[in-house]
Amino acid sequence: MTTNGDGDDARVEGVTSTVSKETGALRDADELLANWPYPPPGGWTADDLDRLPQNGPNGELDFFKHVELIDGALIFMSPQRRFHEYLLYGLRTTLNAQAPDHLKAVMQMDLVLGPRQRPCPDVVVVDKQAAQDRSRTAYTPNEVHLVIEVVSPESEFRDHSVKPELYAKAGIPHFWLVENKADEPTVFVYQLDPVSRSYSVTGIHHDRLKVAEPFPIDIDLIELPD
């Protein structure tokens, strides 16, 4: 979650509801944080992230500003290196310059993949109609065409093992994994096998990334917008 789901392979057709799927009742911030740092009754859900304050339970500034939900656990994201920010901005800018009118690339927006799964990818390409709604805090798999994760040392296991499986089971058709190789990006491009609901690598790109899907893309990885 950047502030402004059990075998969770089922598609989620709406944005997070105002009623917890687990408890059937509204849970406000006071209830959620009553026994911090222990989880609330029934555990954390994707809906809960919309009701967390930005600051912490003891007034810590921006405590909940960058947090995602994986298997019902809150994951706090560490401060990112300049390489990470450079890649996010450069990829989003380049994708938007080449995307068809009905698509839009956005940075660090949550995806609700199930009641206990709400990751926050680095970049996603979504339906432009969804991106134009500036009240949104998350998107659903049916609105997503491409997910990009830029690997950081603290997120390596999640980016390599946990998140790709979640995205594939949710039916997201395209996934890119960006690795830091001597401060230059290497992009591993994956496409979904709709039968096995798993990703297969279709290319490894170093200096230039050129693919036909989810739309024709041609990116100079050495000279990204800065």
Side-chain angles (χ1 to χ4, degrees):
M1 176 182 70
T2 300
T3 314
N4 298 0
D6 310 330
D8 294 310
D9 54 347
R11 291 180 181 270
V12 181
E13 299 301 333
V15 189
T16 52
S17 68
T18 58
V19 177
S20 169
K21 299 176 181 67
E22 297 294 315
T23 65
L26 187 69
R27 306 204 296 188
D28 61 23
D30 289 341
E31 178 186 353
L32 293 171
L33 299 177
N35 296 307
W36 179 263
Y38 301 103
W44 297 100
T45 72
D47 287 351
D48 291 335
L49 269 64
D50 282 326
R51 293 188 285 276
L52 287 174
Q54 190 171 70
N55 296 334
N58 298 307
E60 303 92 337
L61 293 177
D62 294 336
F63 189 78
F64 290 112
K65 185 176 181 180
H66 298 292
V67 62
E68 56 186 348
L69 184 73
I70 304 292
D71 292 335
L74 295 183
I75 307 296
F76 291 85
M77 291 176 274
S78 301
Q80 297 298 334
R81 293 168 172 79
R82 166 67 175 134
F83 176 85
H84 194 274
E85 186 271 343
Y86 163 71
L87 262 295
L88 267 62
Y89 175 82
L91 289 172
R92 184 193 67 170
T93 301
T94 306
L95 288 168
N96 279 329
Q98 301 180 21
D101 288 343
H102 67 285
L103 298 179
K104 184 77 172 177
V106 299
M107 295 193 316
Q108 295 184 320
M109 284 291 293
D110 292 1
L111 303 184
V112 177
L113 306 182
R116 296 181 179 276
Q117 310 289 3
R118 184 167 165 166
C120 183
D122 289 314
V123 179
V124 291
V125 174
V126 299
D127 294 333
K128 188 173 184 178
Q129 185 176 3
Q132 287 176 328
D133 182 353
R134 294 185 178 180
S135 68
R136 296 283 293 269
T137 61
Y139 301 116
T140 55
N142 56 300
E143 298 171 316
V144 180
H145 301 261
L146 167 66
V147 172
I148 303 173
E149 294 285 4
V150 178
V151 179
S152 299
E154 60 88 20
S155 68
E156 186 173 359
F157 176 75
R158 294 193 301 277
D159 291 340
H160 285 173
S161 301
V162 179
K163 288 186 174 183
E165 183 177 354
L166 291 176
Y167 299 146
K169 286 185 176 180
I172 294 172
H174 299 280
F175 172 64
W176 296 358
L177 190 70
V178 185
E179 299 276 4
N180 184 342
K181 303 295 185 181
D183 280 339
E184 297 294 346
T186 294
V187 182
F188 294 77
V189 173
Y190 298 86
Q191 188 164 344
L192 182 70
D193 178 341
V195 176
S196 65
R197 285 290 184 98
S198 62
Y199 288 122
S200 298
V201 65
T202 60
I204 302 173
H205 305 263
H206 301 279
D207 299 330
R208 183 182 181 192
L209 188 158
K210 188 173 183 179
V211 294
E213 295 183 282
F215 55 89
I217 298 169
D218 191 349
I219 300 176
D220 183 347
L221 295 172
I222 304 302
E223 295 293 337
L224 287 169
D226 195 347

